[in-house]
Each structure stands twice: as C-alpha cells, then as structure tokens.
Amino acid sequence: MSALILEEGASVVVVDDDPLDARTWTHPLVDAGFHAETITEFDPTLDADAFLAQLSGRYDALVCDHILSGRGAVRFTGAELVSKANRLTRSPLPAVLISSHVQTDQTGSIRRWREGIPAVVDKSELSDSVIDALSYTIDELSGKVSRERRAFTTPIEVLDVVTESEVPAAKVIVVGWRIATSVWMPLQPIVAATGLSAENLPGRWLEADVNCHAKEASELFYRNIVLAPDLPEGWLEE
C-alpha cells in the first residue's frame, strides 16, 4: 500500500453528538493546519456503512466520539464507525476514536472493534494528542505497524463467560500477553468462530492472533480465532 499523507489544509470531520464537544475538538486540528468540520446530528435510518458512504470523497480524515446516542437515536457506535473507516477496502479513511469511557465498562463496546482502531484518545484529557493519533493511524494504514499492534498466534484459556451485559464477554487468559492476568474478550467473535454456545466455552482453549505487545488490556484485539488442539496434561505446571 502506498503511504497515506495528511497534508496541511486537509479536511477532517469531527463526529460527536454534543455540538460543544465537537467544536472543542476542532481547535487542535485547525491549529495543526487542517480544515475541520463537525457533524452533530444523525439520520436514525443510517447504519455505519451508509453513514460512511456519505463521507466518502468529502473528507481526508475522521475523528469520532464513541458514544453518539446521547441526543438521539443512532444505529452505531463511534468504535464501529472508526474501525470500518480505517478498513475500507478501496480507500481507507484515516480515523481516530475519542472516548471519555476508556477506563469504564463502555470499553467492552470499543473492544469489539479494536483491531480496526489503531488509536483511542481519552476525551477527558483534550490535547494535541489527537494529531499524534492521526499520524499513528496513518502510519499503520500505510503499512508501518507499531510493535504494540503486531499480532501473533497465542493460546487463550477461557475461564468464564458473562452474557447478561450490554456487551457479552469472556474472561480469558492470553498466554502470550500476561499469563497471570485475566482479561475480558468479546464473546460474539468466539461463538461465531468456534460454533460453541457460551455455556460450553469455560475451560476450553482457543488460539488466536493477538497483539501481545500491547501495554494495556483495552488495546488487545483478536483475529483468526480457532479451537486449540488438546494441550499436554500439566504443561502449565511448574
């Protein structure tokens, strides 16, 4: 893939259901030499793909808040929109997610789309970090993937599942990340990949490609999930 470049004067759209917040996020973009516009109202009939189609060809980059439903009906989250923008097949739209829920339960709905989100900026700490996040994203879309975002195959042990929550999840050990620390992994991709029901997952071993050099659990993503072959008895015992 040829390198993507966000030149001075490029057009960046800020998507946020709060008009004041949206305008606030335009300031570092304008200071960096970009042309910034905002979208704060949404057509409730549009899903993420249709919304992205409306942006196609109009903007060079996207900055989007995660929770967009505070002021009306929206059929998608910012995480879904950003992930799909970055993974557009013909011409990716470099996109950065902003969120005030980075360390809350809403992280679960971000985690579902994390593979397509190179950078998340904490909304509660407004700064020029959004410019750095755009550069980081553009580097990855151009093929310059950071160490923290490179994935390799690792075993995953399913400890438990929680289905009665906004975002069903599995409590797992990612061996290649931190073998002594459990993390929460989106449940739906596991069920879809293995064909197993949620109640049959605890105690099972999986394999998946995971970015095991990630610094925080919230940065982990999972792809190519499969059931692992039976492991030798006692292989984790000292």
Side-chain angles (χ1 to χ4, degrees), residues 68-89:
L68 300 172
S69 56
R71 296 174 185 265
V74 182
R75 294 180 57 188
F76 50 87
T77 63
E80 179 183 1
L81 187 69
V82 167
S83 179
K84 289 185 173 181
N86 284 323
R87 301 175 74 179
L88 287 172
T89 303

PDB file of all heavy atoms in Angstrom, residues 68-89:
ATOM      1  N   LEU A  68     -22.522   8.036  20.682  1.00  0.00           N
ATOM      2  CA  LEU A  68     -23.174   9.035  19.829  1.00  0.00           C
ATOM      3  C   LEU A  68     -24.676   9.128  20.078  1.00  0.00           C
ATOM      4  O   LEU A  68     -25.359   9.891  19.409  1.00  0.00           O
ATOM      5  CB  LEU A  68     -22.943   8.682  18.351  1.00  0.00           C
ATOM      6  CG  LEU A  68     -21.480   8.620  17.901  1.00  0.00           C
ATOM      7  CD1 LEU A  68     -21.386   8.064  16.477  1.00  0.00           C
ATOM      8  CD2 LEU A  68     -20.824   9.992  17.980  1.00  0.00           C
ATOM      9  N   SER A  69     -25.176   8.366  21.012  1.00  0.00           N
ATOM     10  CA  SER A  69     -26.620   8.253  21.187  1.00  0.00           C
ATOM     11  C   SER A  69     -27.193   9.133  22.284  1.00  0.00           C
ATOM     12  O   SER A  69     -28.359   9.006  22.637  1.00  0.00           O
ATOM     13  CB  SER A  69     -26.984   6.792  21.501  1.00  0.00           C
ATOM     14  OG  SER A  69     -26.277   6.331  22.642  1.00  0.00           O
ATOM     15  N   GLY A  70     -26.369  10.046  22.818  1.00  0.00           N
ATOM     16  CA  GLY A  70     -26.839  10.868  23.928  1.00  0.00           C
ATOM     17  C   GLY A  70     -27.946  11.833  23.558  1.00  0.00           C
ATOM     18  O   GLY A  70     -28.753  12.209  24.404  1.00  0.00           O
ATOM     19  N   ARG A  71     -28.012  12.232  22.307  1.00  0.00           N
ATOM     20  CA  ARG A  71     -29.004  13.243  21.909  1.00  0.00           C
ATOM     21  C   ARG A  71     -29.939  12.741  20.812  1.00  0.00           C
ATOM     22  O   ARG A  71     -30.532  13.521  20.085  1.00  0.00           O
ATOM     23  CB  ARG A  71     -28.288  14.517  21.436  1.00  0.00           C
ATOM     24  CG  ARG A  71     -27.480  15.199  22.537  1.00  0.00           C
ATOM     25  CD  ARG A  71     -26.679  16.364  21.995  1.00  0.00           C
ATOM     26  NE  ARG A  71     -25.837  16.941  23.020  1.00  0.00           N
ATOM     27  CZ  ARG A  71     -26.173  17.992  23.767  1.00  0.00           C
ATOM     28  NH1 ARG A  71     -27.338  18.568  23.590  1.00  0.00           N
ATOM     29  NH2 ARG A  71     -25.351  18.460  24.683  1.00  0.00           N
ATOM     30  N   GLY A  72     -30.076  11.445  20.669  1.00  0.00           N
ATOM     31  CA  GLY A  72     -30.973  10.917  19.658  1.00  0.00           C
ATOM     32  C   GLY A  72     -30.628   9.482  19.313  1.00  0.00           C
ATOM     33  O   GLY A  72     -29.668   8.905  19.813  1.00  0.00           O
ATOM     34  N   ALA A  73     -31.432   8.896  18.430  1.00  0.00           N
ATOM     35  CA  ALA A  73     -31.240   7.512  18.027  1.00  0.00           C
ATOM     36  C   ALA A  73     -30.135   7.412  16.982  1.00  0.00           C
ATOM     37  O   ALA A  73     -30.189   8.057  15.942  1.00  0.00           O
ATOM     38  CB  ALA A  73     -32.547   6.959  17.475  1.00  0.00           C
ATOM     39  N   VAL A  74     -29.139   6.618  17.274  1.00  0.00           N
ATOM     40  CA  VAL A  74     -28.046   6.362  16.336  1.00  0.00           C
ATOM     41  C   VAL A  74     -27.848   4.856  16.263  1.00  0.00           C
ATOM     42  O   VAL A  74     -27.842   4.191  17.310  1.00  0.00           O
ATOM     43  CB  VAL A  74     -26.730   7.046  16.778  1.00  0.00           C
ATOM     44  CG1 VAL A  74     -25.632   6.799  15.760  1.00  0.00           C
ATOM     45  CG2 VAL A  74     -26.944   8.536  16.967  1.00  0.00           C
ATOM     46  N   ARG A  75     -27.653   4.318  15.089  1.00  0.00           N
ATOM     47  CA  ARG A  75     -27.604   2.866  14.923  1.00  0.00           C
ATOM     48  C   ARG A  75     -26.191   2.298  15.030  1.00  0.00           C
ATOM     49  O   ARG A  75     -25.989   1.120  14.753  1.00  0.00           O
ATOM     50  CB  ARG A  75     -28.210   2.487  13.566  1.00  0.00           C
ATOM     51  CG  ARG A  75     -29.695   2.788  13.454  1.00  0.00           C
ATOM     52  CD  ARG A  75     -30.226   2.403  12.095  1.00  0.00           C
ATOM     53  NE  ARG A  75     -29.988   0.988  11.805  1.00  0.00           N
ATOM     54  CZ  ARG A  75     -30.220   0.437  10.608  1.00  0.00           C
ATOM     55  NH1 ARG A  75     -30.673   1.186   9.616  1.00  0.00           N
ATOM     56  NH2 ARG A  75     -29.988  -0.841  10.414  1.00  0.00           N
ATOM     57  N   PHE A  76     -25.231   3.101  15.424  1.00  0.00           N
ATOM     58  CA  PHE A  76     -23.860   2.607  15.507  1.00  0.00           C
ATOM     59  C   PHE A  76     -23.111   3.377  16.582  1.00  0.00           C
ATOM     60  O   PHE A  76     -23.513   4.465  16.995  1.00  0.00           O
ATOM     61  CB  PHE A  76     -23.143   2.763  14.153  1.00  0.00           C
ATOM     62  CG  PHE A  76     -23.256   4.148  13.558  1.00  0.00           C
ATOM     63  CD1 PHE A  76     -22.341   5.146  13.897  1.00  0.00           C
ATOM     64  CD2 PHE A  76     -24.279   4.466  12.683  1.00  0.00           C
ATOM     65  CE1 PHE A  76     -22.442   6.421  13.362  1.00  0.00           C
ATOM     66  CE2 PHE A  76     -24.398   5.743  12.140  1.00  0.00           C
ATOM     67  CZ  PHE A  76     -23.470   6.721  12.483  1.00  0.00           C
ATOM     68  N   THR A  77     -22.011   2.797  17.029  1.00  0.00           N
ATOM     69  CA  THR A  77     -21.114   3.487  17.960  1.00  0.00           C
ATOM     70  C   THR A  77     -19.964   4.102  17.178  1.00  0.00           C
ATOM     71  O   THR A  77     -19.702   3.750  16.021  1.00  0.00           O
ATOM     72  CB  THR A  77     -20.530   2.510  18.991  1.00  0.00           C
ATOM     73  OG1 THR A  77     -19.730   1.537  18.303  1.00  0.00           O
ATOM     74  CG2 THR A  77     -21.624   1.829  19.791  1.00  0.00           C
ATOM     75  N   GLY A  78     -19.251   4.999  17.843  1.00  0.00           N
ATOM     76  CA  GLY A  78     -18.068   5.559  17.208  1.00  0.00           C
ATOM     77  C   GLY A  78     -17.026   4.501  16.927  1.00  0.00           C
ATOM     78  O   GLY A  78     -16.319   4.567  15.920  1.00  0.00           O
ATOM     79  N   ALA A  79     -16.907   3.502  17.811  1.00  0.00           N
ATOM     80  CA  ALA A  79     -15.926   2.440  17.607  1.00  0.00           C
ATOM     81  C   ALA A  79     -16.188   1.691  16.306  1.00  0.00           C
ATOM     82  O   ALA A  79     -15.253   1.406  15.534  1.00  0.00           O
ATOM     83  CB  ALA A  79     -15.941   1.470  18.786  1.00  0.00           C
ATOM     84  N   GLU A  80     -17.450   1.352  16.045  1.00  0.00           N
ATOM     85  CA  GLU A  80     -17.777   0.665  14.793  1.00  0.00           C
ATOM     86  C   GLU A  80     -17.457   1.552  13.593  1.00  0.00           C
ATOM     87  O   GLU A  80     -16.865   1.087  12.602  1.00  0.00           O
ATOM     88  CB  GLU A  80     -19.254   0.275  14.762  1.00  0.00           C
ATOM     89  CG  GLU A  80     -19.650  -0.433  13.472  1.00  0.00           C
ATOM     90  CD  GLU A  80     -21.129  -0.770  13.385  1.00  0.00           C
ATOM     91  OE1 GLU A  80     -21.879  -0.444  14.333  1.00  0.00           O
ATOM     92  OE2 GLU A  80     -21.543  -1.346  12.371  1.00  0.00           O
ATOM     93  N   LEU A  81     -17.828   2.828  13.674  1.00  0.00           N
ATOM     94  CA  LEU A  81     -17.607   3.741  12.549  1.00  0.00           C
ATOM     95  C   LEU A  81     -16.117   3.911  12.260  1.00  0.00           C
ATOM     96  O   LEU A  81     -15.679   3.832  11.108  1.00  0.00           O
ATOM     97  CB  LEU A  81     -18.240   5.098  12.861  1.00  0.00           C
ATOM     98  CG  LEU A  81     -18.245   6.102  11.708  1.00  0.00           C
ATOM     99  CD1 LEU A  81     -19.200   5.653  10.613  1.00  0.00           C
ATOM    100  CD2 LEU A  81     -18.625   7.494  12.199  1.00  0.00           C
ATOM    101  N   VAL A  82     -15.314   4.115  13.306  1.00  0.00           N
ATOM    102  CA  VAL A  82     -13.877   4.325  13.128  1.00  0.00           C
ATOM    103  C   VAL A  82     -13.218   3.075  12.564  1.00  0.00           C
ATOM    104  O   VAL A  82     -12.398   3.146  11.646  1.00  0.00           O
ATOM    105  CB  VAL A  82     -13.238   4.736  14.466  1.00  0.00           C
ATOM    106  CG1 VAL A  82     -11.717   4.645  14.395  1.00  0.00           C
ATOM    107  CG2 VAL A  82     -13.655   6.155  14.836  1.00  0.00           C
ATOM    108  N   SER A  83     -13.572   1.919  13.113  1.00  0.00           N
ATOM    109  CA  SER A  83     -12.986   0.666  12.630  1.00  0.00           C
ATOM    110  C   SER A  83     -13.294   0.447  11.155  1.00  0.00           C
ATOM    111  O   SER A  83     -12.406   0.094  10.368  1.00  0.00           O
ATOM    112  CB  SER A  83     -13.516  -0.508  13.458  1.00  0.00           C
ATOM    113  OG  SER A  83     -12.977  -1.731  13.006  1.00  0.00           O
ATOM    114  N   LYS A  84     -14.531   0.658  10.776  1.00  0.00           N
ATOM    115  CA  LYS A  84     -14.912   0.440   9.383  1.00  0.00           C
ATOM    116  C   LYS A  84     -14.285   1.485   8.457  1.00  0.00           C
ATOM    117  O   LYS A  84     -13.942   1.177   7.312  1.00  0.00           O
ATOM    118  CB  LYS A  84     -16.431   0.438   9.253  1.00  0.00           C
ATOM    119  CG  LYS A  84     -17.064  -0.809   9.864  1.00  0.00           C
ATOM    120  CD  LYS A  84     -18.566  -0.868   9.638  1.00  0.00           C
ATOM    121  CE  LYS A  84     -19.115  -2.218  10.104  1.00  0.00           C
ATOM    122  NZ  LYS A  84     -20.570  -2.345   9.881  1.00  0.00           N
ATOM    123  N   ALA A  85     -14.121   2.718   8.936  1.00  0.00           N
ATOM    124  CA  ALA A  85     -13.472   3.753   8.124  1.00  0.00           C
ATOM    125  C   ALA A  85     -12.022   3.375   7.837  1.00  0.00           C
ATOM    126  O   ALA A  85     -11.548   3.497   6.696  1.00  0.00           O
ATOM    127  CB  ALA A  85     -13.536   5.098   8.846  1.00  0.00           C
ATOM    128  N   ASN A  86     -11.322   2.894   8.859  1.00  0.00           N
ATOM    129  CA  ASN A  86      -9.918   2.520   8.678  1.00  0.00           C
ATOM    130  C   ASN A  86      -9.746   1.283   7.809  1.00  0.00           C
ATOM    131  O   ASN A  86      -8.660   1.071   7.246  1.00  0.00           O
ATOM    132  CB  ASN A  86      -9.264   2.273  10.045  1.00  0.00           C
ATOM    133  CG  ASN A  86      -8.946   3.554  10.784  1.00  0.00           C
ATOM    134  OD1 ASN A  86      -8.561   4.549  10.173  1.00  0.00           O
ATOM    135  ND2 ASN A  86      -9.109   3.546  12.093  1.00  0.00           N
ATOM    136  N   ARG A  87     -10.797   0.475   7.689  1.00  0.00           N
ATOM    137  CA  ARG A  87     -10.682  -0.790   6.962  1.00  0.00           C
ATOM    138  C   ARG A  87     -11.433  -0.777   5.639  1.00  0.00           C
ATOM    139  O   ARG A  87     -11.659  -1.833   5.043  1.00  0.00           O
ATOM    140  CB  ARG A  87     -11.177  -1.925   7.860  1.00  0.00           C
ATOM    141  CG  ARG A  87     -10.384  -2.022   9.161  1.00  0.00           C
ATOM    142  CD  ARG A  87     -10.939  -3.057  10.116  1.00  0.00           C
ATOM    143  NE  ARG A  87     -10.637  -4.413   9.670  1.00  0.00           N
ATOM    144  CZ  ARG A  87     -10.991  -5.500  10.335  1.00  0.00           C
ATOM    145  NH1 ARG A  87     -11.655  -5.392  11.462  1.00  0.00           N
ATOM    146  NH2 ARG A  87     -10.677  -6.694   9.892  1.00  0.00           N
ATOM    147  N   LEU A  88     -11.808   0.403   5.168  1.00  0.00           N
ATOM    148  CA  LEU A  88     -12.425   0.493   3.848  1.00  0.00           C
ATOM    149  C   LEU A  88     -11.465  -0.090   2.815  1.00  0.00           C
ATOM    150  O   LEU A  88     -10.290   0.250   2.775  1.00  0.00           O
ATOM    151  CB  LEU A  88     -12.764   1.945   3.508  1.00  0.00           C
ATOM    152  CG  LEU A  88     -13.947   2.557   4.260  1.00  0.00           C
ATOM    153  CD1 LEU A  88     -14.036   4.051   3.971  1.00  0.00           C
ATOM    154  CD2 LEU A  88     -15.250   1.864   3.847  1.00  0.00           C
ATOM    155  N   THR A  89     -11.966  -0.962   1.955  1.00  0.00           N
ATOM    156  CA  THR A  89     -11.106  -1.737   1.058  1.00  0.00           C
ATOM    157  C   THR A  89     -10.394  -0.871   0.031  1.00  0.00           C
ATOM    158  O   THR A  89      -9.171  -0.945  -0.119  1.00  0.00           O
ATOM    159  CB  THR A  89     -11.934  -2.815   0.335  1.00  0.00           C
ATOM    160  OG1 THR A  89     -12.572  -3.644   1.319  1.00  0.00           O
ATOM    161  CG2 THR A  89     -11.036  -3.677  -0.545  1.00  0.00           C
TER     162      THR A  89
END
